[in-house]
Structure formats: C-alpha cells, structure tokens
Amino acid sequence: MRFASLGSGSRGNALLVEAGTTRVLIDAGFGPREMSRRLERLGLTAEDVDAVLVTHEHSDHIGGVFACARRFDWAVLLTHGTLAACRDNGADVRTTIIDSQESLSVGDICVHPFPVPHDAREPVQFLLADGDKRLGVLTDAGHVTPHMVAMLGACDALVLECNHDAQMLAQGSYPQALKRRIGGLWGHLDNAAAASLLSQVGRSSLRHVVAAHLSEENNSPALAQEALSAVLNCAPDWIGIATQNEGFAWRDL
Ligand SMILES: [Zn+2]
Ligand SMILES: [Zn+2]
C-alpha cells in the first residue's frame, strides 16, 4: 500500500491511496483539469483512479467530485446525508451510499468509515487497510471522540488534521463568528487536539505521520510538527506536512 496527497487545506483536498491494483481518492476538492495536473505529478492519469470516497459536502472536499466522476468515470461513495446535502444529485454517476459505521471493500482496499463531529450533514473519515497495513485519515473534526481513537488505533500511517494553533486563531484577523466555528466542537482540530489524539492511539507500528488541512492563516508547519513530534519524541521534521499546493509525495507502507 502507498499513499500521497494532491493537496490539503481549505482550498481543496484529495488524498490518493493505492493497494494491489486499486486506487482510490479520499475527497476531490479540485476540478477535472486541476485534478489531472496534480495526478500527473504522481505519475498517474485520472483514468488510473477507480473511485472517490467522500468525507462530507464542504466544497474543499466535494468541489470536484461529480465533475471528475462524470469526466473520468469514477465511482463515488458517500453517506446518505452527504449526498442529500449536495447541490449535485449524482445523476449519471456511479454512486454508492455507504453506512457511516459499516466496512466495505473497494477492489483490493478495505474501507472502514467512522463518523466524526463536524458541521456537515453526515460526515465520516476513513481507515483504509489492505489486509496487512492500516492507514488512518482524519481531517475536519471538531473534537476527539473515543470512537475516533478506537478506529485509529494500531495504524501504520496516520494523516491527521492540524488545522490551527489556538492562539494564532484567537489573535488572528478572522471574524468572531468564524473563529467560534473553527475552534468549536463541530469545527476543526487544533495542533493540541491532534497531539492529544496521537497520544491516545497505539503507536508501535506507526511509520508515517503527516499533518494535514493546515490553515494558511492560523497555523504554521513548524507549530504542527512541534506539537506532534513532542508526543512521538521524534525529530520535528520526521512529521510530514500535507501542503495546499503540493500535498505530499508517495509514501510506502
Ligand atoms: Zn475541509
Ligand atoms: Zn469541512
């Protein structure tokens, strides 16, 4: 199994996972042309992707899903609530409704969705496994729940939201209402919350930890790396960063 990011942050998200002959995206926040351009960097074309797993209906995650699915014949898997909250009803797209707590197979990849607290209709995040390795992905969650901790235990790789630094958010230029939303229970994880989650999960098999969905205004890569590396007792630069423009390159499990 290997994984890479095409971009991560409030202007668009897409994480690519490959196992056996199967390639799936988690989210597609970029339109067809931009998606093709970003996939090219990883040595792929859009036709190499089989399916997209959608976490929730916010545009940075779903913005390119249906346009890409129509153009490239991708299957789309999403919860009932996420589809219901979309302006696009998914007509002419191979759409599969998933249960937020029920595992399923997509080709060679076992997909284990789990519900998260976020201000969307029926948001989920995903643990992906190939029978040998486990990749846990978590962005867009307002707080850490015991169920999230249980789902992300014993992973070989974790991609974890480090959306903001609480102090930078508080002192930053965002309007009060937006600050309350982002920092609230159904908003986004800050560096300290991500570190707390990391401290609660089994870490003995962890080979990759990548901080994701960083706010360009209210966080810095160094602060996210500092928070997560303190838990692992590792060098800060061992913690990867998923950036908005570049994502990150393939990582092998
Ligand atoms: Zn988001
Ligand atoms: Zn969101």
Side-chain angles (χ1 to χ4, degrees), residues 40-80:
E40 210 170 280
R41 294 198 304 236
L42 298 172
L44 296 177
T45 67
E47 283 74 20
D48 295 323
V49 174
D50 299 297
V52 54
L53 309 167
V54 184
T55 60
H56 64 298
E57 69 272 21
H58 291 161
S59 60
D60 53 321
H61 300 265
I62 209 167
V65 166
F66 292 106
C68 288
R70 288 192 180 94
R71 176 90 147 261
F72 307 127
D73 192 31
W74 295 349
V76 175
L77 296 92
L78 72 186
T79 64
H80 175 76

Side-chain angles (χ1 to χ4, degrees), residues 68-233:
C68 288
R70 288 192 180 94
R71 176 90 147 261
F72 307 127
D73 192 31
W74 295 349
V76 175
L77 296 92
L78 72 186
T79 64
H80 175 76
T82 297
L83 181 60
C86 287
R87 251 170 296 163
D88 194 314
N89 61 8
D92 311 325
V93 173
R94 288 185 289 134
T95 302
T96 301
I97 300 294
I98 60 172
D99 185 301
S100 65
Q101 314 226 36
E102 208 165 284
S103 303
L104 63 148
S105 292
V106 179
D108 296 320
I109 300 178
C110 299
V111 177
H112 306 280
F114 54 96
V116 293
H118 189 55
D119 52 5
R121 191 78 70 89
E122 193 183 358
V124 290
Q125 294 290 323
F126 297 102
L127 173 79
L128 302 188
D130 67 354
D132 180 25
K133 305 292 186 185
R134 290 157 59 88
L135 164 66
V137 179
L138 174 69
T139 66
D140 297 74
H143 60 279
V144 176
T145 66
H147 186 54
M148 281 157 50
V149 172
M151 289 301 294
L152 295 173
C155 281
D156 298 277
L158 281 174
V159 176
L160 281 185
E161 166 164 64
C162 287
N163 180 263
H164 58 280
D165 170 77
Q167 199 175 348
M168 282 179 76
L169 178 69
Q171 294 170 354
S173 65
Y174 281 12
Q176 280 306 325
L178 184 55
K179 288 183 182 182
R180 272 197 301 275
R181 195 219 132 214
I182 291 170
L185 288 174
W186 285 270
H188 290 276
L189 290 185
D190 70 6
N191 296 337
S196 165
L197 172 66
L198 189 55
S199 76
Q200 295 174 62
V201 298
R203 296 182 296 282
S204 57
S205 52
L206 265 184
R207 295 292 170 270
H208 301 271
V209 175
V210 182
H213 214 299
L214 272 72
S215 166
E216 292 172 303
E217 171 126 359
N218 301 309
N219 207 357
S220 71
L223 285 172
Q225 287 174 319
E226 185 185 308
L228 298 187
S229 65
V231 177
L232 298 178
N233 207 10

